[in-house]
Amino acid sequence: MGRVNALAPTGPSDDTPGPSDAPDPLADFRALRTPEGAELLAGLRSYDPATELATATRLRRTHPAALVSAALGQARLRQRAVAKFGAEDAHRMFFTPNGVEQATRTSVAGYRARRFADAGVRSVADLCCGIGGDAIALARAGISVLAVDRDPLTAEVARANAAALGLDALIEVRCADVTEIDTAPYDAVFVDPARRGGRGRIFDPEAYSPPLSWATAAALKAPRAALKIAPGVPHEAIGPQAEAEWISDGGDVKEAVLWFGEGFDAGSYRATLLPSGATLSAPAVLPAPPVGPVGRYLYEPDGAVIRAHLVAGIVERCHGRLFDEMIAYVTSDELYDSPYTAGYEITDQLPFNTKRLKALLRERKVGVLTVKKRGSGVEPEELRRKMKLQGPNAATVFLTRVANVPTMLIGRPVTGPEAAALR
């Protein structure tokens, strides 16, 4: 995704490169695909990076130093990539440092590819393809892909990944500027602009590479399109032609996607939770929910629901309210079980006071305390340390505001993953 300029940090070396033997990341990468490079990588699958100096010294007795450094760097990247791609794919694929950091995890890319396939898409121009994670998911959904990246090394890595996973018949990789690609022959366009620069993460959509305005214009020319953007994108930056979807995986918000064209609901907002695939949507921005006192139950919406501004939908479903207009906790006197929330029964409501909380937890013999916060500057770990917990019982404390007053709410989970873990 976006431009990548280095294959991997190099391993230890006894030699300082001169002008004539400066590192060539593309040549080093191609060396990894030779039989000698493949053999080296196979032997490093489970190596411990803590032993890198000894491993490098041993391997350099029989292999060129540049190849050893490239193989060690690639082995480290593959280990990091397991969390996103799974062990089976990660140890067959190739990566760059930025590629691992910016690649879409397989579960999210697969979900997005299925939405394209369900809309009847059979060919996609994947612009800013990076190391090819999304192209792989699209190909596995039976979609042919033109994968484009302007960086020669990144394009080479994407091409190698298509071949390594047996998908090169469906994935054509092209090294080119995405703004020069004719997307007319394709059923759909997918754009994943680079959102990192030399100083780290980019928050202004017009500072993406390419800018969001260019990506939107490209999307509107296609029969169908999807733009991957940061989940914190301001809603005012989203045009009325797009269906805006926020996706969480395992409770963590991973990305936002803008969908365009036939089969997608322009102007609507959607929150999708993986791995279940549960989806909550609204045809437009919902009105502000009512505000009132804390009830018997507190409901914590999934982050995708909050980002999509769909908390009011949860309020309506559980016949509840907010207890502070600026805090995305929902309260109700009714028990409500939903994939979009975790529920808690509230037993105590106290003004924020650590001494009072410590006394209450000691009285109830709480040895395990879950600390959640929204609208509070207190650090959970610091609070837990001050409590000096002892006892067989568990509790959850919410550090928040009620009617703009710092407040502690104590309770126990009654729905969601935490409740299941206690059963």
Side-chain angles (χ1 to χ4, degrees):
M1 279 143 281
R3 191 178 178 113
V4 179
N5 297 310
L7 175 63
T10 57
S13 173
D14 296 328
D15 303 314
T16 301
S20 61
D21 58 350
D24 183 346
L26 190 54
D28 289 345
F29 174 70
R30 287 172 176 163
L32 290 176
R33 301 192 68 201
T34 64
E36 184 180 10
E39 181 183 0
L40 261 179
L41 279 175
L44 290 170
R45 174 164 178 155
S46 58
Y47 104 102
D48 182 357
T51 67
E52 181 166 326
L53 181 59
T55 303
T57 300
R58 174 175 56 83
L59 293 176
R60 284 172 178 168
R61 296 187 186 115
T62 53
H63 301 282
L67 179 60
V68 171
S69 294
L72 287 169
Q74 192 61 225
R76 292 194 301 273
L77 293 173
R78 284 180 167 184
Q79 290 178 357
R80 287 171 53 193
V82 167
K84 287 187 174 182
F85 290 89
E88 183 177 353
D89 280 355
H91 286 289
R92 289 189 290 165
M93 293 172 65
F94 298 90
F95 301 95
T96 63
N98 284 357
V100 170
E101 181 70 26
Q102 299 181 32
T104 306
R105 65 174 54 206
T106 295
S107 55
V108 178
Y111 164 76
R112 198 188 313 106
R114 289 192 298 274
R115 284 208 74 185
F116 266 133
D118 290 345
V121 170
R122 294 294 174 264
S123 62
V124 170
D126 177 3
L127 308 181
C128 310
C129 70
I131 55 99
D134 287 289
I136 289 165
L138 289 164
R140 283 175 167 169
I143 297 171
S144 62
V145 185
L146 170 66
V148 183
D149 200 282
R150 68 180 180 180
D151 180 70
L153 173 60
T154 306
E156 188 91 356
V157 171
R159 191 174 294 113
N161 286 336
L165 299 180
L167 298 169
D168 43 345
L170 283 170
I171 300 175
E172 175 195 349
V173 179
R174 190 178 301 174
C175 183
D177 188 325
V178 297
T179 63
E180 299 174 358
I181 297 296
D182 178 13
T183 61
Y186 299 89
D187 295 342
V189 167
F190 173 64
V191 188
D192 182 5
R195 295 178 301 282
R196 284 184 178 273
R199 297 184 177 180
R201 195 178 300 275
I202 297 171
F203 296 98
D204 177 6
E206 285 307 296
Y208 292 172
S209 180
L212 181 59
S213 57
W214 180 90
T216 300
L220 291 172
K221 293 177 185 176
R224 299 177 184 85
L227 310 183
K228 177 181 171 182
I229 56 177
V233 64
H235 279 223
E236 55 268 24
I238 300 170
Q241 308 97 327
E243 173 192 305
E245 179 177 30
W246 282 259
I247 303 171
S248 69
D249 189 12
D252 295 327
V253 182
K254 295 301 179 184
E255 67 179 54
V257 186
L258 304 183
W259 298 94
F260 298 83
E262 185 180 350
F264 307 113
D265 191 5
S268 68
Y269 294 82
R270 176 189 296 261
T272 298
L273 282 55
L274 300 178
S276 70
T279 291
L280 182 68
S281 63
V285 176
L286 297 172
V291 179
V294 176
R296 180 176 179 182
Y297 299 102
L298 180 151
Y299 298 105
E300 181 183 27
D302 183 271
V305 173
I306 296 171
R307 294 282 193 178
H309 293 187
L310 296 176
V311 172
I314 300 297
V315 170
E316 183 178 357
R317 281 169 166 80
C318 72
H319 303 105
R321 55 199 175 271
L322 303 183
F323 48 71
D324 188 287
E325 63 181 359
M326 301 301 294
I327 303 294
Y329 284 138
V330 178
T331 188
S332 174
D333 297 311
E334 298 182 15
L335 184 60
Y336 168 72
D337 194 6
S338 161
Y340 309 109
T341 65
Y344 300 82
E345 183 177 18
I346 299 302
T347 57
D348 300 89
Q349 177 179 341
L350 304 169
F352 180 79
N353 184 298
T354 56
K355 290 183 178 179
R356 289 187 65 180
L357 179 62
K358 184 176 180 180
L360 185 146
L361 297 177
R362 185 188 300 117
E363 176 187 337
R364 296 184 184 173
K365 298 180 180 179
V366 171
V368 178
L369 181 67
T370 300
V371 181
K372 294 178 173 285
K373 68 169 189 171
R374 193 162 286 162
S376 171
V378 176
E379 290 300 324
E381 287 302 323
E382 181 182 352
L383 181 69
R384 261 192 293 266
R385 179 179 55 79
K386 290 180 178 179
M387 293 300 101
K388 298 182 180 179
L389 301 166
Q390 288 185 336
N393 299 321
T396 300
V397 60
F398 295 86
L399 307 177
T400 186
R401 296 195 308 268
V402 175
N404 206 33
V405 175
T407 302
M408 303 182 298
L409 302 175
I410 295 92
R412 63 181 184 87
V414 292
T415 66
E418 289 184 73
L422 295 175
R423 292 181 186 132

